[in-house]
Amino acid sequence: MHQLEPRGADEYTVLIFFSIDCHVLGIHDERVRKIATEYAERGVRFFAVDAEVGATAARDRVEAARRGYPFPILIDGGARIAREFGAEFAGHVVVLDRSGKTLYRGGIDSDRAHLTDGATPFLADALVDLLAGRSPRVAESKALGCALRTW
Amino acid sequence: MRRPLSTSRSAFSVGSVIAFVAVSIHPTRAGAQACCAGAAAVTPGRLAVHEDALVGFQSRAADIFASFSKDADYVPASAAEWDFEQDLFGALRVARRAQVALLAPVVQTYRRARGISDFGGGLGDLNLSGRYDFTLAGESEVVPGVGALVGVTFPTGRPTESSDAANHPLAADAAGTGAYQLNLGLALEQTVGPWLFGVTGLYSKRTPRTIGGTKVTLGAQWTVLAGAAYTFSNDAALALVASYSAEGNTEADGIEVPMSSRRIPLLTLAGLYPLNDPWRLQGGVFATPPLSSLGRNTPANLGLVLALVRSWS
C-alpha cells in the first residue's frame, strides 16, 4: 500500500489524476513516462491517482504495466483526493512539497490531443525550478484532459 | 407545390441551426469524458469543456428538392431552389460552466420558377445565445450532463414582405424572418465509452410582425434533437442527429390561420476532424426524409455544411 505523504529524502511528490478511458492522457503517456523516469532519479516521487467510479487496484495494476508507468496508480475511493486538490480532469497534476503544500497544479504541458514540439512543459518546468530552489515559473495552468467520472 | 415564400427563410434558419447543432456534436474522446459533447443548440460554436473561446466560419448549401403540403403530403419540387449561407460565429466562456455565443449569417438564395430566375440575399438574422452546464456529461456514472440554453434571434435580415419585388420577383433577397425569436432549451447528454448520446429540447417563440397591415405571429415552435456520436482515438468524430420541429398555427390579427402549422424533420450525418489542438474542421450532410406525413408546410432539402473552427484553451 502506498502512502501519499512525502517521505525520507524525497523532496517532492507528483500526483497525476488518471482516467483509464481518457485518450488525452493516453496521448501524453510517453511524456509522462519520460518525466517520471528523469525526475525520480532526482528524488521526485510520482503517483497516478484514479478517482473514477469503478476503479479497482487489480485493473489499474494491469493498466499501469500496459502503459509502462514507472509509478503506481493509487485508488482514490470516493474521489476525496481529487476533491481536495480540485482535480476535475484527467491529466491534472499537482506537485507537493514534503509538508503537503501544493507548489504546482494544472496540466502536464500545454498540448491537449495533438502533441507539438513547441508545447510549454509546465510540469517539467515546475520540477526544474523547484529542484533548483526556485518557485515554479508557472504555478498554475489548465488541465486539458477528460472529465473525471467521480460520482 | 411550393411552400409559401413567407415561411421559407424561417425554415432555412431552423435547418441551419439544426445542421450546425449536428456538426457541433463534438465528443472528442474515447471514453468517460465530458469534453466537447452534446448539442450546440440554438447557436453553433459551442465551447468544449477545456475551451475558453472560439471563432468559426461555416458554409452551407442546400437544394430544395421537394416540399410538404399543408396536408403533410410529400410533393416533389416543380421549380429549382438553392439556398446558400455563410456564417461567422464566435463563443466566449464567461464563467466556468457558462458560455455565450454569437452567430452572424449571410444568406443567398437562388430560385427559378415559371421561366424566371432570381438570386439575392444579405445579412440574415443575428443570433445571440447562452448556455449553462449544471453537470457535464461523463462526470457522473448516473446523472447525465444537463445544460440550460437560452437565445435570442434578432430580425436583422430582410423579411420576405420587405423584398424588393421589382428586382427580385421570387423574393430571393429575403434573408430573415422579420421577427425576434426567443429560444429556450434543455440539453441532456452522456458518454458511454467512445459514444456520446444527447437529447436537446428547444422552445422558440416569435414576436409579431406586420405584413400589409396585418399583425402576423408565427406559432410557437418545439424542437427535439436526438443524436449519437462516436469518437475515434485521433479525436475525429462521426455523429448522426435526428431533429423534429413542430410549430403551431400562424396567427393573423390574433386569429389562428387553419392548417398553417408546420412540421420539420431533418436527419444529419456529421463529422469532425481535428487539424491540431486549436483548429478543427466540421462538416455534415443533411436531408429531409422524403416521407409523406413527416413534414407539413415546409420544404424538403438536401445539403452540405462545412465549418472551420479556431479555439483557444
Side-chain angles (χ1 to χ4, degrees), chain A residues 19 21-24 27 52-54 88-89 110-115 142-151, chain B residues 28-35 49-50 52 96-97 138-141 143 190-191 233-235 274 276-277 313:
Chain A
S19 165
D21 290 322
C22 180
H23 69 308
V24 176
I27 286 167
E52 294 206 309
V53 174
E88 293 182 288
F89 303 103
S110 60
D111 283 338
R112 185 175 170 274
H114 297 82
L115 304 186
K142 193 172 178 181
L144 303 176
C146 323
L148 294 170
R149 185 168 298 207
T150 55
W151 54 287
Chain B
T28 318
R29 69 155 283 67
Q33 169 198 18
C35 176
V49 70
H50 62 278
D52 295 323
R96 202 167 64 93
R97 296 202 169 189
E139 264 186 339
S140 167
E141 199 172 29
V143 179
Q190 185 59 296
T191 55
S233 58
N234 68 346
D235 244 7
N276 50 38
D277 278 352
S313 297

Side-chain angles (χ1 to χ4, degrees), chain A residues 58-110:
Chain A
R59 185 196 71 173
D60 283 351
R61 262 196 303 275
V62 172
E63 191 63 18
R66 189 184 71 79
R67 293 173 183 243
Y69 284 171
F71 49 81
I73 301 174
L74 310 182
I75 302 298
D76 178 17
R80 285 171 298 175
I81 298 171
R83 275 199 298 275
E84 182 177 340
F85 291 108
E88 293 182 288
F89 303 103
H92 181 101
V93 168
V94 292
V95 180
L96 309 172
D97 67 8
R98 280 186 187 178
S99 69
K101 182 183 174 189
T102 300
L103 301 171
Y104 169 76
R105 53 177 288 175
I108 296 163
D109 53 45
S110 60

Side-chain angles (χ1 to χ4, degrees), chain A residues 41-63:
Chain A
E41 294 170 359
R42 302 171 67 180
V44 179
R45 296 194 309 163
F46 285 77
F47 297 97
V49 178
D50 190 344
E52 294 206 309
V53 174
T56 66
R59 185 196 71 173
D60 283 351
R61 262 196 303 275
V62 172
E63 191 63 18

Side-chain angles (χ1 to χ4, degrees), chain B:
Chain B
M1 177 179 172
R2 305 290 292 171
R3 73 201 181 287
L5 287 178
S6 60
T7 63
S8 65
R9 191 51 56 201
S10 139
F12 189 61
S13 293
V14 170
S16 178
V17 168
I18 289 170
F20 203 100
V21 166
V23 299
S24 298
I25 287 208
H26 175 197
T28 318
R29 69 155 283 67
Q33 169 198 18
C35 176
C36 322
V42 184
T43 294
R46 175 185 170 186
L47 292 169
V49 70
H50 62 278
E51 292 172 334
D52 295 323
L54 64 76
V55 292
F57 173 78
Q58 176 187 228
S59 189
R60 179 183 187 276
D63 173 31
I64 313 299
F65 64 87
S67 63
F68 292 92
S69 72
K70 61 182 170 52
D71 298 314
D73 292 327
Y74 173 77
V75 183
S78 57
E81 177 172 340
W82 278 86
D83 289 335
F84 305 92
E85 183 172 318
Q86 286 76 47
D87 301 324
L88 282 174
F89 55 89
L92 182 68
R93 187 171 298 286
V94 293
R96 202 167 64 93
R97 296 202 169 189
Q99 54 186 280
V100 294
L102 181 69
L103 168 74
V106 176
V107 178
Q108 299 91 37
T109 301
Y110 171 79
R111 288 196 181 105
R112 185 160 49 86
R114 303 181 300 275
I116 304 169
S117 63
D118 189 9
F119 180 80
L123 177 68
D125 292 341
L126 290 174
N127 179 275
L128 178 66
S129 70
R131 177 186 180 102
Y132 186 85
D133 289 296
F134 298 99
T135 57
L136 301 175
E139 264 186 339
S140 167
E141 199 172 29
V142 180
V143 179
V146 179
L149 315 167
V150 61
V152 179
T153 304
F154 300 91
T156 48
R158 181 198 296 265
T160 304
E161 61 270 21
S162 300
S163 172
D164 175 6
N167 294 310
H168 294 284
L170 300 180
D173 57 333
T177 58
Y180 287 90
Q181 176 172 315
L182 173 67
N183 307 303
L184 296 172
L186 187 69
L188 305 176
E189 58 202 27
Q190 185 59 296
T191 55
V192 181
W195 288 93
L196 169 101
F197 300 95
V199 178
T200 299
L202 295 168
Y203 171 77
S204 302
K205 181 75 179 167
R206 274 70 67 93
T207 57
R209 70 189 203 269
T210 301
I211 305 174
T214 303
K215 194 167 85 173
V216 176
T217 308
L218 294 173
Q221 188 177 77
W222 294 88
T223 299
V224 175
L225 298 102
Y230 184 89
T231 302
F232 300 90
S233 58
N234 68 346
D235 244 7
L238 273 179
L240 182 64
V241 180
S243 73
Y244 195 79
S245 296
E247 183 179 300
N249 282 331
T250 298
E251 288 186 1
D253 286 336
I255 300 169
E256 276 196 19
V257 179
M259 305 296 282
S260 61
S261 67
R262 304 172 66 214
R263 303 287 183 269
I264 308 167
L266 194 70
L267 285 174
T268 303
L269 178 63
L272 177 149
Y273 186 80
L275 302 173
N276 50 38
D277 278 352
W279 289 93
R280 59 181 180 261
L281 279 174
Q282 297 177 206
V285 180
F286 57 90
T288 306
L291 301 172
S292 284
S293 79
L294 269 185
R296 180 186 299 161
N297 285 326
T298 193
N301 57 22
L302 171 66
L304 291 169
V305 59
L306 188 65
L308 179 65
V309 177
R310 168 67 159 95
S311 67
W312 289 266
S313 297

